[in-house]
Amino acid sequence: AVAAAALAVVAQERSFDQLYAPIQPPKSVDLGKVELGKKLFFDPRLSQSGFISCNSCHNLSMGGSDNLSTSIGHKWQKGPINAPTVLNSALNLAQFWDGRAADLKEQAGGPIANPGEMAFQHTLAVDVLQSIPAYAREFKLIYGKDKIDIDMVTDAIAEFEKTLVTPNSRFDQYLLGKKDALTKDELAGYKLFNESGCVACHNGPNLGGNSFQKMGIVEPYKGAGDGRAAVTGKDADRFSYKVPTLRNVELTYPYFHDGAAWTLAEAVDIMGRLQLGRKFTEQENAQIVAFLKTLTGEQPVFRLPILPPSNEKTLRPRPFD
Amino acid sequence: AVAAAALAVVAQERSFDQLYAPIQPPKSVDLGKVELGKKLFFDPRLSQSGFISCNSCHNLSMGGSDNLSTSIGHKWQKGPINAPTVLNSALNLAQFWDGRAADLKEQAGGPIANPGEMAFQHTLAVDVLQSIPAYAREFKLIYGKDKIDIDMVTDAIAEFEKTLVTPNSRFDQYLLGKKDALTKDELAGYKLFNESGCVACHNGPNLGGNSFQKMGIVEPYKGAGDGRAAVTGKDADRFSYKVPTLRNVELTYPYFHDGAAWTLAEAVDIMGRLQLGRKFTEQENAQIVAFLKTLTGEQPVFRLPILPPSNEKTLRPRPFD
Ligand code: HEC
Ligand code: HEC
Ligand code: HEC
Ligand code: HEC
Ligand SMILES: [Ca+2]
Ligand SMILES: [Ca+2]
Ligand SMILES: [Ca+2]
Ligand SMILES: [Mg+2]
């Protein structure tokens, strides 16, 4: 709340707009890695069952999320936490709700080996890819080595994920000078978002993703767990989470790390009360929600990748062991 | 075997090539329905869990199949039978292994309501779609009615499926006059395929899909179930299945209705022994397999559809009830 007040003062002088930035189209990606990483992102053979791919839980038809409170993993296990979107996640200061992975490359190794997600071993995943000649050739072409390793796999996936940005939302058009890109209600919502203090935590190009903050500052949050403390070991970091991006938030329901809030109206109401001690009127709430919907950008559009087939040497999926 | 011999005689006169036909690109589809049907095919909200779409089991990145022996359905239930490809399935005389659905439209209602697959009710699936304004508008535009019904849903999916054809395989290039489209070994395999009698059952544009035949003519098949008898009630139809298409068979492993054979070599060996009483040499087997791989056509290529988001009126997924 103190940070919010301080920021608000600065911002009113320099105009709140300066606290945000438009999403940039991806710059200087390695297109070979991107195409390979896209295949891997869609390939369920990175899971023990042969049924679950990155796209199962970060569905790029649905805002890079699964729209479930907590994910469904190997053998229909109920996951512990809500799956954040992969859209614009390259812009986040760290990956996962508690920031335990420094970047996308480090992150991507996690789910493959997580027993509750893809439940596979890195060595086995690599063996599967190595057995498929079209993959073996593509890795060799890009990484110049005969043997695939897990580092190449996560590197290619991370490079693909860098392309998953969503420029040209109406809010970005507004920031870039198209002052009539937002309606009156959306502008009123933007003003409330700034002046009530949401911007203190949800700022920068991702409107979030650049700090860890306590969930439940003014009032405690029922579902709050260890959060960031699991990484730092500090008691002060209990109940703290990476502030989620609000980019495409219209698409990434349900909300919060436990996926407990199904509507933006509910999420905004909770944020107002728990983080700022402010109860918004119905109209104010609707205006903020209207503003948040202007953050939906252009979704990454690409052709569904065609995957090279397995063969007699390929380890078979084991969905039911 | 009798049919095989008869056909073989006819064929030798008119040339075996006449018993097949190239896959035609789709003709006169309704493009509005195709785009809508594509979204529905990829939309997991047609399932109770919100996690399983048609594409989960008929993955268009993987030959329109799931490459599992039997499918994984709602709550990770093990399905009773191998998922056939949706590629070129419009060309089949009927749908399902036992032909219990007359066409794609009739078929598409099945999995949505099947408790072991998507486990949803048609009325609830329709309610979900109706609650989403972008869907409601798209249905209204195409079908001219204010209320969506399940018939429209299956009609649009079926129209999309009609586009899932795979023209221009090397075999089709050969049929269309490019006589050097096949290598010497592939041609030898084609000759064996014709002369040993595979063509008796695997003929027409789909190299199958146009008759029901007993599995285990010369020797019984261990995994054979009721098959077609479940539909006709006739004892003579026990162990009979729709002859699967061999189009893209390189991509649709594992093989047979129980998904028990993982390699083409194994499937060809079993077919030779059980259907024709013939044990192929290793070289013959390899040549037939080489021929079968020339049946891989151009995979349908399209942009991953972006799905319109749910809202506060949309029934929520129930993955764990
Ligand atoms: C079974 C569901 C599931 C699968 C499969 C899955 N994820 Fe995730 N993903 C999650 C969940 C849940 C989280 C949040 C975990 C946490 O924060 O502790 C997450 C977090 C992430 C994040 C961090 C985003 C952020 O802003 O913090 C990225 C990036 C990501 N996943 C990418 C991937 C990639 C790449 C794959 C495949 C290699 C993958 N995921 C597979 C469920 C899944
Ligand atoms: C002091 C920091 C802070 C302030 C101020 C703040 N937020 Fe948040 N916001 C967070 C954190 C942390 C989370 C994640 C909490 C969790 O998941 O448990 C979050 C989550 C959200 C979410 C859910 C996003 C998702 O994808 O799950 C929305 C929407 C949101 N905030 C909007 C707002 C609005 C609107 C305001 C102002 C009324 C606001 N926030 C004020 C820190 C803050
Ligand atoms: C949980 C897995 C699963 C899901 C989800 C699923 N299918 Fe299937 N599909 C199968 C299986 C298994 C069969 C074979 C069933 C049989 O023959 O008895 C099949 C058969 C078919 C066939 C018949 C093909 C042929 O040649 O006989 C078509 C077409 C089809 N499905 C389309 C769809 C559509 C459209 C959807 C979504 C509305 C869908 N499927 C959802 C597993 C699934
Ligand atoms: C008398 C009919 C008949 C003859 C002759 C026949 N098949 Fe089949 N074929 C079938 C039937 C029926 C099936 C499905 C059996 C099942 O799934 O239980 C099948 C399945 C297959 C499959 C597996 C396809 C899949 O997707 O599961 C292959 C491959 C195949 N046949 C190749 C051949 C070859 C090669 C020959 C000749 C050596 C041959 N068939 C001869 C009727 C026949
Ligand atoms: Ca970093
Ligand atoms: Ca979410
Ligand atoms: Ca199969
Ligand atoms: Mg999927």
Side-chain angles (χ1 to χ4, degrees):
Chain A
V2 175
L7 261 178
V9 170
V10 175
Q12 264 162 344
E13 280 160 17
R14 292 200 283 132
S15 142
F16 285 106
D17 295 357
Q18 316 258 343
L19 301 174
Y20 307 96
I23 293 285
Q24 302 277 348
K27 283 191 187 129
S28 68
V29 289
D30 179 321
L31 285 178
K33 290 183 181 179
V34 168
E35 286 307 309
L36 175 56
K38 186 190 296 172
K39 290 195 194 92
L40 298 170
F41 192 89
F42 278 87
D43 201 327
R45 289 170 297 186
L46 292 181
S47 66
Q48 185 193 309
S49 63
F51 190 61
I52 295 183
S53 69
C54 308
N55 196 65
S56 299
C57 300
H58 302 285
N59 195 323
L60 294 169
S61 299
M62 313 195 307
S65 71
D66 56 10
N67 296 143
L68 299 172
S69 289
T70 62
S71 291
I72 295 171
H74 183 63
K75 292 194 178 171
W76 213 264
Q77 286 172 80
K78 189 169 159 44
I81 208 158
N82 183 256
T85 180
V86 289
L87 297 177
N88 306 303
S89 64
L91 301 175
N92 294 339
L93 86 163
Q95 302 299 317
F96 291 126
W97 284 99
D98 58 10
R100 69 186 177 279
D103 54 31
L104 289 174
K105 184 171 176 331
E106 186 181 331
Q107 191 285 327
I112 298 174
N114 185 325
E117 295 186 342
M118 299 166 91
F120 217 27
Q121 290 169 33
H122 285 173
T123 50
L124 297 180
V126 166
D127 285 352
V128 163
L129 298 172
Q130 189 76 59
S131 75
I132 298 167
Y135 267 133
R137 283 192 301 270
E138 201 168 336
F139 274 99
K140 186 171 178 182
L141 180 71
I142 293 170
Y143 294 99
K145 296 202 177 134
D146 280 329
K147 286 245 170 239
I148 303 172
D149 66 35
I150 189 71
D151 251 29
M152 301 173 192
V153 175
T154 55
D155 184 63
I157 293 175
E159 197 75 5
F160 169 59
E161 289 179 308
K162 283 190 206 161
T163 69
L164 301 177
V165 293
T166 61
N168 209 24
S169 69
R170 286 197 292 116
F171 179 60
D172 286 357
Q173 295 175 26
Y174 164 88
L175 287 179
L176 290 165
K178 188 165 185 285
K179 291 302 163 194
D180 64 353
L182 305 190
T183 66
K184 236 183 85 195
D185 270 340
E186 290 161 355
L187 278 172
Y190 179 46
K191 198 159 178 274
L192 279 163
F193 189 87
N194 286 321
E195 293 175 359
S196 72
C198 311
V199 65
C201 300
H202 298 279
N203 54 56
N206 240 355
L207 291 90
N210 52 2
S211 70
F212 298 93
Q213 301 288 342
K214 187 170 164 190
M215 174 58 166
I217 290 190
V218 180
E219 244 183 74
Y221 180 66
K222 225 170 31 113
D226 276 351
R228 178 73 177 156
V231 175
T232 63
K234 291 193 196 143
D235 219 48
D237 291 331
R238 280 187 66 209
F239 316 139
S240 273
Y241 294 90
K242 189 178 67 191
V243 178
T245 177
L246 299 182
R247 294 282 179 184
N248 307 294
V249 73
E250 176 186 13
L251 309 179
T252 61
Y253 56 89
Y255 304 110
F256 301 132
H257 71 278
D258 56 0
W262 276 87
T263 65
L264 277 176
E266 193 182 341
V268 167
D269 179 66
I270 291 174
M271 278 284 128
R273 290 187 292 105
L274 272 54
Q275 303 299 73
L276 300 168
R278 172 161 178 176
K279 172 76 192 155
F280 294 115
T281 66
E282 222 171 277
Q283 194 198 15
E284 288 170 334
N285 183 299
Q287 288 171 332
I288 296 175
V289 168
F291 163 64
L292 293 178
K293 290 185 179 174
T294 71
L295 298 171
T296 304
E298 284 170 7
Q299 300 300 294
V301 165
F302 53 83
R303 294 185 166 181
L304 184 75
I306 302 299
L307 302 175
S310 298
N311 55 51
E312 61 287 354
K313 293 193 208 75
T314 312
L315 197 72
R316 294 176 193 161
R318 287 173 290 124
F320 301 106
D321 318 342
Chain B
V2 176
L7 262 178
V9 171
V10 176
Q12 264 161 344
E13 280 160 17
R14 292 200 284 133
S15 141
F16 285 106
D17 294 356
Q18 316 260 342
L19 300 175
Y20 307 97
I23 293 283
Q24 303 277 347
K27 284 191 186 128
S28 69
V29 288
D30 180 321
L31 285 177
K33 290 184 181 178
V34 167
E35 285 307 309
L36 175 56
K38 186 190 296 170
K39 291 195 194 94
L40 298 170
F41 192 89
F42 278 85
D43 201 327
R45 289 170 296 186
L46 292 182
S47 67
Q48 185 194 308
S49 63
F51 191 61
I52 295 183
S53 69
C54 308
N55 197 64
S56 299
C57 300
H58 302 285
N59 195 324
L60 294 170
S61 299
M62 312 195 308
S65 71
D66 55 12
N67 296 144
L68 300 173
S69 288
T70 62
S71 291
I72 294 171
H74 183 64
K75 293 193 178 171
W76 213 264
Q77 287 172 80
K78 190 170 160 40
I81 208 159
N82 183 256
T85 180
V86 288
L87 297 177
N88 307 302
S89 63
L91 300 175
N92 293 339
L93 88 162
Q95 301 300 318
F96 291 124
W97 285 99
D98 59 9
R100 68 185 178 281
D103 54 32
L104 290 173
K105 183 170 177 331
E106 185 181 332
Q107 191 286 327
I112 299 174
N114 185 326
E117 296 186 340
M118 300 167 91
F120 217 27
Q121 289 169 34
H122 285 172
T123 49
L124 297 180
V126 166
D127 285 351
V128 164
L129 298 171
Q130 189 76 59
S131 75
I132 298 167
Y135 267 134
R137 282 192 302 269
E138 201 168 336
F139 274 99
K140 186 170 178 184
L141 180 70
I142 292 170
Y143 294 99
K145 294 199 179 137
D146 281 329
K147 286 244 169 238
I148 303 171
D149 65 37
I150 190 71
D151 251 30
M152 300 173 193
V153 175
T154 55
D155 184 63
I157 293 176
E159 198 75 6
F160 169 60
E161 289 180 307
K162 282 189 206 162
T163 69
L164 301 177
V165 291
T166 62
N168 209 25
S169 68
R170 286 197 293 117
F171 180 60
D172 286 356
Q173 295 175 25
Y174 163 87
L175 287 180
L176 290 165
K178 188 164 184 286
K179 291 301 163 194
D180 65 353
L182 305 191
T183 66
K184 234 182 86 195
D185 270 340
E186 290 160 356
L187 277 172
Y190 179 46
K191 198 160 177 275
L192 279 163
F193 190 87
N194 286 320
E195 294 176 359
S196 73
C198 311
V199 64
C201 300
H202 297 280
N203 54 56
N206 240 355
L207 291 90
N210 52 3
S211 70
F212 298 93
Q213 301 288 342
K214 188 169 165 189
M215 173 60 166
I217 290 191
V218 179
E219 245 185 72
Y221 181 66
K222 224 171 31 111
D226 277 349
R228 179 72 177 157
V231 175
T232 63
K234 291 191 196 147
D235 219 48
D237 290 330
R238 281 187 66 210
F239 315 138
S240 273
Y241 293 91
K242 187 177 68 191
V243 178
T245 178
L246 298 182
R247 293 283 178 184
N248 307 295
V249 72
E250 177 185 13
L251 310 178
T252 61
Y253 56 88
Y255 304 109
F256 302 133
H257 72 277
D258 56 359
W262 276 87
T263 65
L264 277 176
E266 193 183 341
V268 167
D269 179 66
I270 291 175
M271 277 284 129
R273 291 187 293 105
L274 273 53
Q275 303 299 73
L276 300 167
R278 174 162 177 177
K279 173 74 192 156
F280 294 115
T281 66
E282 224 171 275
Q283 193 198 14
E284 288 170 334
N285 183 300
Q287 288 170 332
I288 296 175
V289 168
F291 164 63
L292 293 178
K293 290 185 179 173
T294 71
L295 299 171
T296 304
E298 284 171 5
Q299 300 301 294
V301 165
F302 53 83
R303 294 186 165 180
L304 185 76
I306 302 298
L307 302 175
S310 298
N311 56 50
E312 61 287 355
K313 293 191 208 76
T314 311
L315 198 71
R316 292 174 195 165
R318 285 173 292 123
F320 301 107
D321 316 343

